[in-house]
Amino acid sequence: MKTKIALGLVAAVVLTQAGCTTKIKSLPMPAAVQTQNGQDVALYFGNQTHAPVKQSYGNKEFAVRVLRKVENSPEANCSIALEKAVQELRDYARAQHANAVVDVRTRFQHNESASSTEFTCGASLNGSTLAVRGDVVMLETQ
């Protein structure tokens, strides 16, 4: 009897944990994040070319977790998390009177991407998590 109870408890734990597994995803960068038009703070991912740096305000990182809505796929939730993190990064840069963030990278735990076409996110049935970081700068203007 005790063996059956123990096996039942182990099975319950395994099933519970299986539903909580976070998958690391590399997803296409949403066009809205890549667009510089109309933005007072430009974003340059990885080693994208930009004007020379006039002044640096340091490196800044924002981590975001978005709870999953039933109607959203994990991928859609990752895009929402990215947009929120990028907005926080832009808001911070704006407060520093910077006009750009360069060497922008996305990360989930120790998995990092410096790509301008893809981003890294951790997605589970509960939500999506990622961090965005970059160097907040004032670029020379022409």
Side-chain angles (χ1 to χ4, degrees), residues 29 33-36 42-53 90 101-105 114-118 139:
M29 186 73 69
V33 173
Q34 293 176 321
T35 302
Q36 304 294 358
L43 300 177
Y44 297 92
F45 288 83
N47 60 3
Q48 282 183 307
T49 58
H50 54 79
V53 174
R90 278 191 165 126
V101 183
V102 299
D103 193 25
V104 177
R105 298 166 183 269
S115 173
S116 62
T117 59
E118 295 182 332
L139 296 178

Side-chain angles (χ1 to χ4, degrees), residues 124-142:
S124 72
L125 294 176
N126 299 328
S128 298
T129 305
L130 60 75
V132 174
R133 74 173 167 90
D135 297 324
V136 179
V137 299
M138 176 64 72
L139 296 178
E140 290 181 7
T141 56
Q142 308 275 320

